[in-house]
Amino acid sequence: NGDNNNTPKTTTTAGTTTTTTTTTTKPVAKTKTVTCTLHQDMSAQGYILDGTYTVTYTDGLVDSAHTVEKVQSSNQQILDYFKTTVSDTYNNLNTNYGGYKYTTNISGNLFEAVTDINYSLMNMEKYANDNPSIKPYVRDGKMTIEIILASYRQMGATCPTEV
């Protein structure tokens, strides 16, 4: 629904009074979802990395992100490294800014991290102050879809060009 603007307009012509009401409705904001994928064969370094990044946004502003990152390796040290690094990174982000929930798991030759970021729970002002390069991409306390997709592309993910 949107905000309605019902303004009656009364006109009188030759003794006849006519009242007209014009209703204007703002368009309903559409929530959209976009998914980026990442595949990096780093066999020479001992692992293969796959990621899926699903972002939900409304009017160009990101509401949430759901990520699944998987690392395949026969080297336990590599899997442990990813688990420690991902856990430390997301724990620090959640402690400093809020909004992050994640799980990490190693099963056999596979490390998996599942992360949910709720941007409405993040202290975006603090995040933007600590990361000044994103300030132009923050509106109404949320990041724009453009900066999120750019960050995934910078990691090597493939994202749709039109959103």
Side-chain angles (χ1 to χ4, degrees):
N1 296 357
D3 293 331
N4 290 333
N5 180 13
N6 298 323
T7 308
K9 180 181 177 187
T10 305
T11 55
T12 305
T13 309
T16 304
T17 302
T18 308
T19 302
T20 348
T21 303
T22 305
T23 302
T24 55
T25 304
K26 292 181 182 176
V28 176
K30 287 190 178 182
T31 298
K32 298 180 181 178
T33 301
V34 62
T35 300
C36 302
T37 56
L38 173 69
H39 176 78
Q40 294 180 338
D41 188 337
M42 307 296 284
S43 297
Q45 288 79 23
Y47 65 94
I48 296 171
L49 173 66
D50 288 293
T52 303
Y53 309 92
T54 304
V55 182
T56 303
Y57 63 101
T58 307
D59 288 338
L61 299 178
V62 177
D63 300 312
S64 62
H66 175 79
T67 70
V68 178
E69 296 166 304
K70 298 179 182 182
V71 176
Q72 295 176 36
S73 179
S74 58
N75 183 329
Q76 187 64 42
Q77 288 179 318
I78 290 174
L79 298 174
D80 290 342
Y81 168 80
F82 274 97
K83 183 172 182 169
T84 300
T85 302
V86 167
S87 295
D88 289 350
T89 299
Y90 288 141
N91 188 47
N92 288 336
L93 286 167
N94 192 54
T95 298
N96 290 321
Y97 310 112
Y100 282 78
K101 288 185 181 178
Y102 68 94
T103 59
T104 58
N105 185 49
I106 296 176
S107 179
N109 289 344
L110 182 68
F111 162 75
E112 182 177 68
V114 177
T115 308
D116 288 294
I117 307 166
N118 182 335
Y119 287 92
S120 64
L121 298 178
M122 270 184 84
N123 183 338
M124 193 55 65
E125 183 179 347
K126 182 178 181 191
Y127 186 80
N129 285 336
D130 291 348
N131 300 276
S133 64
I134 69 144
K135 276 187 179 184
Y137 304 100
V138 175
R139 287 195 329 253
D140 300 329
K142 293 184 178 180
M143 282 194 259
T144 63
I145 187 66
E146 292 85 7
I147 192 66
I148 297 292
L149 296 182
S151 67
Y152 290 142
R153 287 183 184 116
Q154 187 174 11
M155 293 183 340
T158 302
C159 302
T161 53
E162 294 293 323
V163 291

